[in-house]
Amino acid sequence: MTLDVCSSTIIHEDKVNTVKDCLTDKDFSDILLLSKCIKDPSRIKIMYALLTYEELCVCDLAAVLEASVASTSHHLRYLKQNGLLESKRDGKVVYYSLIKEKAASVFNSLSDLTETVTPSS
């Protein structure tokens, strides 16, 4: 594998300063939090399932994951606490769904991005 690097060091100060100025007030904590939310394959599957079928109960999601209800509930609780899911109770059943304006658009964007990414050999 060849590494594409500059053959000489030339700093384009105007570009560097523009980027530094833009980064000065940026808060990346939301992006870091999102990355923690989707670093687990089970959480990604949960989000994908909820994109596919807008609302699912804990038992359905556990069946999709082929995991215990307790383990699935743990993932759901984490995603909900971090603002990606909402839940509603209907009698004894709790249904989960994505908070559309946040999670669905982010997850769709990430899915689109992965289609263009080529893993290195």
Side-chain angles (χ1 to χ4, degrees):
M1 180 174 105
T2 60
L3 187 60
D4 294 328
V5 295
C6 298
S7 56
S8 65
T9 302
I10 301 170
I11 305 296
H12 300 90
E13 289 190 34
D14 56 329
K15 293 178 182 180
V16 171
N17 290 333
T18 299
V19 172
K20 282 184 170 183
D21 288 344
C22 290
L23 289 174
T24 300
D25 295 326
K26 291 287 184 194
D27 178 9
F28 295 106
S29 59
D30 287 345
I31 295 172
L32 292 171
L33 179 61
L34 178 62
S35 70
K36 289 179 183 179
C37 287
I38 62 172
K39 77 176 185 177
D40 186 288
S42 293
R43 293 180 190 151
I44 293 171
K45 289 176 184 177
I46 287 169
M47 292 180 67
Y48 186 80
L50 293 172
L51 273 172
T52 303
Y53 202 89
E54 293 181 15
E55 186 177 79
L56 292 167
C57 74
V58 178
C59 300
D60 291 338
L61 288 163
V64 167
L65 297 178
E66 297 178 352
S68 69
V69 169
S71 172
T72 303
S73 292
H74 170 76
H75 291 301
L76 290 166
R77 185 170 36 261
Y78 187 85
L79 291 169
K80 183 178 178 184
Q81 287 172 344
N82 288 293
L84 295 176
L85 301 182
E86 56 191 3
S87 65
K88 71 175 184 182
R89 179 174 290 280
D90 185 11
K92 294 182 179 184
V93 181
V94 177
Y95 291 96
Y96 283 85
S97 59
L98 293 172
I99 297 177
K100 294 292 182 206
E101 63 277 358
K102 285 184 177 182
S105 64
V106 168
F107 194 74
N108 280 325
S109 295
L110 289 172
S111 294
D112 291 345
L113 179 62
T114 59
E115 292 175 10
T116 63
V117 174
T118 315
S120 58
S121 304

